[in-house]
Amino acid sequence: DVKVTQSSRYLVKRTGEKVFLECVQDMDHENMFWYRQDPGLGLRLIYFSYDVKMKEKGDIPEGYSVSREKKERFSLILESASTNQTSMYLCASSFRVVFSEQFFGPGTRLTVL
Amino acid sequence: TQLLEQSPQFLSIQEGENLTVYCNSSSVFSSLQWYRQEPGEGPVLLVTVVTGGEVKKLKRLTFQFGDARKDSSLHITAAQPGDTGLYLCAGSVEDKLVFGAGTILRVKS
């Protein structure tokens, strides 16, 4: 059974803290993605990676960075969390970048106080 | 600006009713996917449509891709409470998927 796991389901942080969100996939996929999901806005792509140590900016990269040191692991980093980064964060992986199913993790609900 | 507009935003219906949700854009997509997301879970792929005019059926769900590959619809026949969820469409643009905001469907028994 294919699986994408995220390190936390719920997270509460304070403004200015550094936050790490971890994602691991067991499908040997080349491509991994980080989205944030907000009501009425759908899923917006933050960053994606199509290979180890490679990263590409998505539509809303400001305030975020990523790390991909191993094929199965893709980390999202909030260098200095702000209240407008309160959101649901979804990680996904896929075999190909396009025409390919994306497999999602269960999400991390992050609240920044 | 939302590249993909989904309508309606919310739909609450009785078990057994039929419904259609729409996904529209002014952009052409090389393919379009529909996902379903249940509370507390990530989206799960239902179908991918690639050819303009294509119709795909998945049990009681019928998906159609517009001839010009700018729009799509999802029709559910005889809805059941288990169909409750958030339905998302996503279009392939260059090397990315662009998601609509989704349609929240609630089917009451």
Side-chain angles (χ1 to χ4, degrees):
Chain A
D1 200 15
V2 296
K3 214 161 187 177
V4 178
T5 56
Q6 295 183 228
S7 50
S8 305
R9 294 299 293 267
Y10 300 94
L11 213 50
V12 180
K13 295 291 182 182
R14 298 223 172 259
T15 302
E17 281 192 77
K18 191 169 185 176
V19 182
F20 293 87
L21 302 182
E22 305 284 337
C23 175
V24 177
Q25 51 97 1
D26 65 0
M27 294 165 281
D28 201 35
H29 284 164
E30 301 290 338
N31 308 291
M32 296 188 75
F33 309 83
W34 274 106
Y35 296 90
R36 64 177 283 177
Q37 184 175 27
D38 300 287
L41 296 177
L43 276 70
R44 292 180 291 166
L45 182 63
I46 304 171
Y47 268 96
F48 65 103
S49 168
Y50 51 84
D51 202 351
V52 176
K53 297 193 186 293
M54 304 298 287
K55 60 184 179 184
E56 293 286 338
K57 291 180 180 180
D59 299 317
I60 51 164
E62 297 78 19
Y64 304 95
S65 62
V66 289
S67 172
R68 189 150 181 220
E69 296 296 319
K70 293 184 177 182
K71 190 176 186 181
E72 67 272 16
R73 189 178 297 269
F74 193 33
S75 302
L76 179 69
I77 303 149
L78 287 66
E79 293 290 341
S80 178
S82 63
T83 54
N84 63 12
Q85 291 178 310
T86 291
S87 186
M88 171 68 83
Y89 290 88
L90 289 163
C91 174
S93 71
S94 71
F95 176 58
R96 291 186 298 271
V97 177
V98 291
F99 297 112
S100 184
E101 176 178 4
Q102 290 196 8
F103 293 86
F104 285 84
T108 296
R109 172 76 63 186
L110 173 66
T111 301
V112 182
L113 302 175
Chain B
T1 302
Q2 199 75 37
L3 196 60
L4 273 170
E5 298 286 343
Q6 287 192 243
S7 62
Q9 286 185 293
F10 305 97
L11 197 52
S12 182
I13 61 172
Q14 289 294 134
E15 183 176 2
E17 290 184 22
N18 302 333
L19 66 115
T20 303
V21 298
Y22 300 92
C23 177
N24 296 297
S25 176
S26 57
S27 302
V28 176
F29 296 103
S30 51
S31 70
L32 197 133
Q33 297 179 335
W34 283 91
Y35 289 79
R36 180 165 155 258
Q37 184 178 17
E38 296 188 37
E41 301 296 331
V44 175
L45 181 71
L46 296 172
V47 77
T48 300
V49 285
V50 178
T51 307
E54 183 177 1
V55 177
K56 278 192 174 177
K57 292 194 174 184
L58 190 68
K59 296 183 181 178
R60 294 176 294 101
L61 278 60
T62 303
F63 304 86
Q64 185 159 5
F65 201 13
D67 291 340
R69 290 185 289 128
K70 293 183 179 181
D71 55 87
S72 182
S73 64
L74 158 60
H75 181 80
I76 301 179
T77 303
Q80 298 176 0
D83 295 326
T84 293
L86 174 67
Y87 289 81
L88 295 157
C89 64
S92 288
V93 177
E94 297 176 347
D95 57 354
K96 293 183 291 188
L97 269 185
V98 176
F99 282 82
T103 294
I104 298 172
L105 171 64
R106 182 182 170 210
V107 182
K108 296 175 283 187
S109 57

